[in-house]
Amino acid sequence: MSNQNTAEMIYELISPLFNKELKELELVDVEYKKEGTNWYLRIFIDKDTGISLDDCQQASRVIEQLIDDKDPILTSYFLEVSSPGIERPLKKESDYEKYKNKLVKIKTYGPIDGKKEFIGELQGLNDGQIVLQLDNHLVSIPLDKVASANLTIEKEGE
């Protein structure tokens, strides 16, 4: 099983927890990566008022219990639960509405209008197109062409 498949499988396994025991929290992303000789399972969580250490500890206990019960990962790994940070990724379609009017950085798989990276104010998602305000014009980026999308704090050229 690939690292990506493992991350997706864990995401699916723990997602229901965020509608029950952890309903005040949002599951943002799951990563499963090898760094040096160690494997890391990273769970990124968020909430509107920001994540505290207590939130991370509570989520870690609940998630660890479920993963230990199901035992889906055969290798040993370190579990880390944390905030996605100020430049959090936009993963779900609902993120594009939630973070409307925020500054975002979009990277695409291939060039769109000669560019593969866009930084602008998010206007939302419309018919599968991310709409960004770039200085004095709007640009539409097909969602299926997006390699990564993150909130950002830096303006283009700064």
Side-chain angles (χ1 to χ4, degrees):
M1 182 178 294
S2 77
N3 301 351
Q4 182 65 30
N5 289 344
T6 299
E8 289 170 5
M9 182 259 308
I10 294 296
Y11 188 99
E12 293 300 316
L13 177 66
I14 68 174
S15 286
L17 294 174
F18 292 83
N19 295 323
K20 296 176 187 161
E21 294 96 324
L22 303 171
K23 64 182 168 213
E24 73 281 3
L25 302 174
E26 173 193 359
L27 175 59
V28 175
D29 201 8
V30 174
E31 290 180 348
Y32 184 64
K33 291 186 174 181
K34 188 171 189 178
E35 294 178 4
T37 58
N38 297 316
W39 283 94
Y40 292 87
L41 177 61
R42 293 190 175 105
I43 313 292
F44 297 98
I45 60 174
D46 206 358
K47 70 178 179 183
D48 291 339
T49 58
I51 292 298
S52 69
L53 184 56
D54 287 342
D55 293 325
C56 292
Q57 289 173 333
Q58 176 197 7
S60 181
R61 282 191 297 272
V62 173
I63 291 166
E64 186 174 35
Q65 181 65 52
L66 177 62
I67 292 174
D68 285 350
D69 289 347
K70 300 290 183 183
D71 203 20
I73 301 175
L74 301 177
T75 58
S76 64
Y77 60 90
F78 294 98
L79 174 64
E80 295 178 354
V81 177
S82 68
S83 162
I86 196 164
E87 293 191 343
R88 70 164 276 166
L90 305 179
K91 293 288 193 172
K92 302 179 275 264
E93 287 189 15
S94 60
D95 289 342
Y96 294 97
E97 287 303 313
K98 181 176 183 179
Y99 294 103
K100 199 181 244 187
N101 301 319
K102 300 287 186 189
L103 195 61
V104 297
K105 180 188 283 187
I106 309 278
K107 292 182 181 179
T108 59
Y109 292 114
I112 296 174
D113 297 331
K115 294 173 61 176
K116 289 176 68 175
E117 186 173 296
F118 302 85
I119 297 176
E121 186 177 296
L122 180 61
Q123 301 300 300
L125 188 64
N126 188 7
D127 291 328
Q129 302 274 326
I130 300 167
V131 181
L132 287 183
Q133 176 75 44
L134 301 179
D135 295 324
N136 58 358
H137 67 284
L138 292 176
V139 73
S140 292
I141 302 168
L143 195 55
D144 63 353
K145 304 289 185 212
V146 173
S148 67
N150 296 74
L151 295 179
T152 189
I153 55 173
E154 62 181 61
K155 282 292 263 179
E156 203 165 4
E158 290 183 356

